[in-house]
């Protein structure tokens, strides 16, 4: 579970790397979150040596990882996936096999794109509540009782109201994922006006110097001056 | 719990209506979903006769109503609210007192605005999944296990994938609520680009003749031609 | 040519107003920019007294007015329009007869909506040029030579680059016109995602306290921190 | 003036290509519209052989080319630019020297981005006019007399009203340029919500199979069903 594409490539291809000892029958599972191209490149390296490859990025951050409650989005060699299930059952609460290499990365982009649109819709609602003279903490309570109740609103809402954004998932990474998801839409001619508007809000937040804060810091972009 | 502002006004002000028998000490609770202006007009009618008024729109549709699981957004006369709590406890799982008349209506608009942005983000994600060659049913499973899990995605997702939109909440009403929420933002100088993009998608759906379908029919606006 | 709907209504309906002396055959031409509803109300007042009515809002601000170069968007009584042509020929370079009362107001909203989208597209381009290390004054020159050359870019561009927005047309009025144009779209189920995004940018500008500046001050909303 | 990056790369680097005969003092001017990366790659090839390089993409399509009325956006070796001026004076009505290689490509992207936002604003206005019961041909006349008058509206408007989009500049190329302009904004943290909304409209048009039509075919995306 490496930090980024460069690290994943390095561990696979560099001196003393994975490929040097790769051979027939061996399997390599990369659980990093990388783009589909990186994943495919590593896969080709592994299989050219006779090995088997599985990408297995995860959904969930620090706490779910500690609790073994990750969601595992695997794709690649089905036989290797089957062998890995006992390990995945320890690390995660659920694993999915999604087909060919690259599909794990794509599924993760879609999930994060929806997350970004939700976060913006939520953030706009909090601000509208406050500027309309209502108590935004009541909005949190109302949302948590209804059809839109979800852990993210519950977890992030209270600190957003305090303009407090400790980075569980940095905004610049969230914006990068939205950009990549929109690029995936571009390839497939899928028009996504709400995700595009959300992406521009994250870019606005970056221009305000909020890239290293939690992605919920996009809340700052909808704020105008405070009521007197 | 009347159908619209016109009905609420009629029941209050017309011949044989509420106001004819209104007098000192009597209370009137209107649980219709109306705009703040209508609510204030009825409130003024009631209080001018010496009566007490409470607006109490609800969040939740058919099933929660049958199960006594509504969320009640009350505003107006606090004393009347206190007296009504035993009744609200039967109808709903939770009631809120939000202050002056009009605040119940406003809170409901904010909730529905967030709902509209979420529905669009979700709908775009479903389409992107499908066009990228992934199984959108897997997306539903992944979402339901993570930080964005919510009853609405769980409930609406499977029928959206079948282009099936039986009207639990008609799209034209959802679009009207988004318009009113954006108007509330206009009054208070709150810029809400994601809600605005979502609103235009609902308008697109109306122009496609989907106004009487469920609001999840906005899914049709992101669909291009099917893969061969 | 009165300042707003309230003034137009007052001059028509109040004591010593137009209607007191209105009678068969007399004509009244209101050149104020008002909404269709106000115009229709005045029209009904005038015609109920036997008079004839024409709304005739103008496109063009201070300089074209002084030079007799306005564009006149007339609607209402065709006979009265024909009689007024010699006057319109002095005030404006061109007049249009658009049919029933309200159509003049609507045409003006459409024109101003397009103006708002153009101004935002232009403003984003200026900022992108600057942040990409190009000279935005060159962009002005390039634009002025090509298929998009127009007086507005030529006139407003240089002062926008100096963050200088003397109010020829106040931003709050421009935003109001975009809101009314979007409302007209709502009535007729026309989805306009670009105008909606532009409107939110103008609202952002209002929240930044720029409502009384020229509408080109929307440029401030796309600016991030300066390059060092 | 080659068709795309692949062609430009091939003519420079392939067998019997430019580089084979490149040597000290020779100059190479590539007038193709390519991205900055391609331009830089060719520049490096040329200069590594001791040659001098100039990128010089043009603004203007078929007619201006025939009439020698192009706008030339040059960047690279200033000495070579100075030598080329007599040639540029024949091909174009004006040439600009924009500094380092890549700047010509970037300037062109900004120009086309503004063009895309304008085209969408215009297209929405035409549709709003029509659905509001006004004559969109009158809108064309009104626009052409005012501060927004520009050759593009004048040239494209009448055919757009007939849903006639003969490809002067194919929509898929326009959408690609908007994507690249938004990517340039992403690099430099410039948030551009109106361009993003316009880009999604062009993507919608692509999903409707309009990629090979003129970029004004984005007009089809705002059309709902016709009035009866």
């Amino acid at each position: 579970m490496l930090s980024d594409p460069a690290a994943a490539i390095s561990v696979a291809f560099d001196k003393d790397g994975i490929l040097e000892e790769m051979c027939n029958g061996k399997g390599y599972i990369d659980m990093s979150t990388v783009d589909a191209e990186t994943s495919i490149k590593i896969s080709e390296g592994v299989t050219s040596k006779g090995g088997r490859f599985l990408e297995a990025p995860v959904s969930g951050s620090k706490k779910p990882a500690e609790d073994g409650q990750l969601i595992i989005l695997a794709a690649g060699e089905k036989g290797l996936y089957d062998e890995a299930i006992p390990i995945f059952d320890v690390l995660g609460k659920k694993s999915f096999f999604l087909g060919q290499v690259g599909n794990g990365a794509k599924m993760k982009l879609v999930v994060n794109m929806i997350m970004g649109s939700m976060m913006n819709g939520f953030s706009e609602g909090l601000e509208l509540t406050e500027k309309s003279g209502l108590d935004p903490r009541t909005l949190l309570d109302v949302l948590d009782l209804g059809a839109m109740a979800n852990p993210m609103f519950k977890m992030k809402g209270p600190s957003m109201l305090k303009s407090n954004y400790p980075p569980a998932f940095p905004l610049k990474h969230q914006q990068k994922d939205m950009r990549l998801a929109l690029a995936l839409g571009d390839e497939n001619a899928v028009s996504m006006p709400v995700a595009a508007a959300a992406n521009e809000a994250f870019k606005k937040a970056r221009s305000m110097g909020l890239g290293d804060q939690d992605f919920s810091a996009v809340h700052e972009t909808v704020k105008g001056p405070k009521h007197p």
Side-chain angles (χ1 to χ4, degrees), chain A residues 1-14 16-19 28-35 38-39 42 53-58 108 169 173 176:
Chain A
M1 227 181 264
L2 302 161
S3 60
D4 60 19
I9 291 285
S10 170
V11 163
F13 290 93
D14 283 1
D16 299 328
I18 298 295
L19 290 195
Y28 180 50
I29 304 178
D30 188 342
M31 301 188 73
S32 315
T33 289
V34 297
D35 55 293
T38 299
S39 213
I42 297 172
F53 180 74
L54 198 66
E55 66 174 352
V58 301
K108 193 154 181 220
F169 186 49
H173 293 162
K176 185 201 63 184

Side-chain angles (χ1 to χ4, degrees), chain A residues 203-226:
Chain A
K203 279 160 75 175
K204 183 74 189 170
R206 270 179 55 211
S207 83
M208 293 164 72
L210 299 164
D212 293 318
Q213 301 281 306
D214 189 65
F215 76 105
S216 53
V218 76
H219 189 42
E220 293 296 309
T221 67
V222 291
K223 286 190 186 170
K226 291 284 166 200

Side-chain angles (χ1 to χ4, degrees), chain A residues 34-37 40 55 98 100-114 175-192 195 199:
Chain A
V34 297
D35 55 293
E37 283 66 34
I40 288 166
E55 66 174 352
L98 301 168
Q100 65 189 16
V101 174
N103 283 358
K106 287 177 187 175
M107 184 61 86
K108 193 154 181 220
L109 289 180
V110 175
V111 169
N112 282 6
M113 181 185 84
I114 294 174
Q175 195 264 316
K176 185 201 63 184
D177 284 357
M178 293 213 75
R179 173 166 53 83
L180 293 172
L182 284 161
L184 187 61
D186 202 298
E187 271 174 51
N188 295 291
V190 182
S191 174
M192 304 186 291
N199 184 40

Side-chain angles (χ1 to χ4, degrees), chain A residues 118-119 121-123 140 143-144 148-158 160:
Chain A
M118 274 177 70
M119 177 50 81
F122 180 51
S123 168
L140 296 183
L143 287 172
D144 199 45
M148 286 173 283
N150 66 83
M152 181 171 79
F153 287 2
K154 197 182 179 73
M155 196 161 45
K156 305 271 186 193
M160 288 168 72

Side-chain angles (χ1 to χ4, degrees), chain A residues 37-120:
Chain A
E37 283 66 34
T38 299
S39 213
I40 288 166
K41 192 177 168 183
I42 297 172
S43 172
E44 287 170 353
V46 168
T47 52
S48 73
K49 293 294 201 80
R52 297 176 298 154
F53 180 74
L54 198 66
E55 66 174 352
V58 301
S59 184
S61 53
K62 211 174 160 187
K63 191 72 172 51
E66 287 168 358
D67 300 346
Q69 293 291 304
L70 295 167
I71 303 161
I72 295 164
L73 305 172
E77 233 271 346
K78 182 62 163 60
L80 184 53
Y81 173 74
D82 291 335
E83 286 173 41
I85 287 178
I87 304 163
F88 289 161
D89 284 349
V90 174
L91 292 167
K93 62 179 162 189
K94 174 88 179 171
S95 69
F96 294 89
F97 182 76
L98 301 168
Q100 65 189 16
V101 174
N103 283 358
K106 287 177 187 175
M107 184 61 86
K108 193 154 181 220
L109 289 180
V110 175
V111 169
N112 282 6
M113 181 185 84
I114 294 174
M115 184 166 77
S117 294
M118 274 177 70
M119 177 50 81
N120 273 276

